């Protein structure tokens, strides 16, 4: 596990505020899913997976989403402090996904932060090979710094911050509390 980067931290959103944001994201997702009978919710590990779980629960409890395929993808490129881990974006395929058939499904891909777009694009490329009817992207935070031709369909919050700043999404079970912090270098 990567240590949290050092610097000045400011809490931008706490758990109560984020619960309201996730509720709104679920409302937007329910609108996108109107009339869809085959749905898959895909979380990008690490923090996108528990966010996908939260979104899925809200869609079931509040919006009556019935059966849904729920899976996660392991994609790595950056560490939590935005240090480049790999020059290419790596997707580690779960062997159970090799024969996954998403034909006719509407797929929601969920991640915590949209930064440059590499992870989300890699997930979309992989899932497109599974022949879904459509793929929609969902992020808790869009930094507005994407460098690839990818847009986010559902955004919890958009945070335009300096490139040297880091947006830290703290998502249980990886952290104790659900919050978004801004980390500014010292």
């Amino acid at each position: 596990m990567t240590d949290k980067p050092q610097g000045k931290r400011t809490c931008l959103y706490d758990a109560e505020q984020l619960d309201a944001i996730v509720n709104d994201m679920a409302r937007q997702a329910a609108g996108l899913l109107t009339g869809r009978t085959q749905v898959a919710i895909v979380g990008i590990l690490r923090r996108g997976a528990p966010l996908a779980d939260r979104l899925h629960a809200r869609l079931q409890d509040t919006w009556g989403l019935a059966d849904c395929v729920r899976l996660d993808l392991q994609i790595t490129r950056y560490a939590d402090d935005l240090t480049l881990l790999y020059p290419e974006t790596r997707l580690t395929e779960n062997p159970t996904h090799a024969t996954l058939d998403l034909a006719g499904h509407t797929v929601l891909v969920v991640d915590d932060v949209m930064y440059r777009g590499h992870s989300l694009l890699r997930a979309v490329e992989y899932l497109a090979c599974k022949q879904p009817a459509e793929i929609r992207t969902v992020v808790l935070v869009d930094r507005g710094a994407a460098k690839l031709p990818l847009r986010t369909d559902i955004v919890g919050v958009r945070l335009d911050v300096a490139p040297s700043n880091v947006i830290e999404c703290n998502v249980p079970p990886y952290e104790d509390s659900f919050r978004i912090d801004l980390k500014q270098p010292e």
Side-chain angles (χ1 to χ4, degrees), residues 101-114:
D101 180 12
L102 293 176
H105 283 73
T106 295
V107 178
L108 298 180
V109 183
V110 182
D111 205 1
D112 60 339
V113 177
M114 168 72 145

Side-chain angles (χ1 to χ4, degrees), residues 78-115:
Y78 296 101
D80 289 343
D81 65 356
L82 300 181
T83 304
L84 189 64
L85 294 175
Y86 305 104
E88 76 285 348
T89 306
R90 293 185 178 182
L91 183 143
T92 305
E93 184 175 40
N94 181 327
T96 62
H97 298 165
T99 59
L100 183 65
D101 180 12
L102 293 176
H105 283 73
T106 295
V107 178
L108 298 180
V109 183
V110 182
D111 205 1
D112 60 339
V113 177
M114 168 72 145
Y115 182 43

Side-chain angles (χ1 to χ4, degrees), residues 5-176:
Q6 297 305 305
K8 178 185 174 192
R9 278 189 177 69
T10 306
C11 178
L12 301 178
Y13 294 91
D14 63 21
E16 184 178 332
Q17 292 166 317
L18 287 176
D19 280 339
I21 288 167
V22 171
N23 284 339
D24 187 57
M25 292 169 67
R27 180 191 57 76
Q28 292 177 62
L32 285 177
L33 298 173
T34 299
R36 310 312 194 276
T37 56
Q38 294 179 296
V39 176
I41 299 177
V42 179
I44 297 178
L45 291 166
R46 292 187 359 157
R47 290 167 185 84
L51 287 170
D53 290 339
R54 286 173 184 260
L55 185 64
H56 184 208
R58 301 275 176 29
L59 285 167
Q60 285 179 313
D61 298 345
T62 306
W63 300 98
L65 178 68
D67 295 329
C68 172
V69 174
R70 175 67 190 86
L71 57 104
D72 296 323
L73 294 178
Q74 176 69 50
I75 299 176
T76 51
R77 180 171 171 87
Y78 296 101
D80 289 343
D81 65 356
L82 300 181
T83 304
L84 189 64
L85 294 175
Y86 305 104
E88 76 285 348
T89 306
R90 293 185 178 182
L91 183 143
T92 305
E93 184 175 40
N94 181 327
T96 62
H97 298 165
T99 59
L100 183 65
D101 180 12
L102 293 176
H105 283 73
T106 295
V107 178
L108 298 180
V109 183
V110 182
D111 205 1
D112 60 339
V113 177
M114 168 72 145
Y115 182 43
R116 300 290 190 199
H118 291 95
S119 297
L120 210 49
L121 183 60
R122 183 67 185 99
V124 168
E125 288 172 339
Y126 173 79
L127 292 165
C129 293
K130 304 293 181 184
Q131 303 298 310
E134 63 184 316
I135 299 174
R136 300 296 186 145
T137 56
V138 181
V139 295
L140 183 59
V141 177
D142 187 333
R143 286 192 55 164
K147 299 293 183 189
L148 300 172
L150 187 68
R151 67 175 167 77
T152 47
D153 294 297
I154 297 173
V155 176
V157 295
R158 182 180 169 105
L159 298 173
D160 294 315
V161 299
S164 61
N165 294 343
V166 175
I167 298 296
E168 291 181 355
C169 289
N170 297 284
V171 183
Y174 299 111
E175 289 83 23
D176 293 334

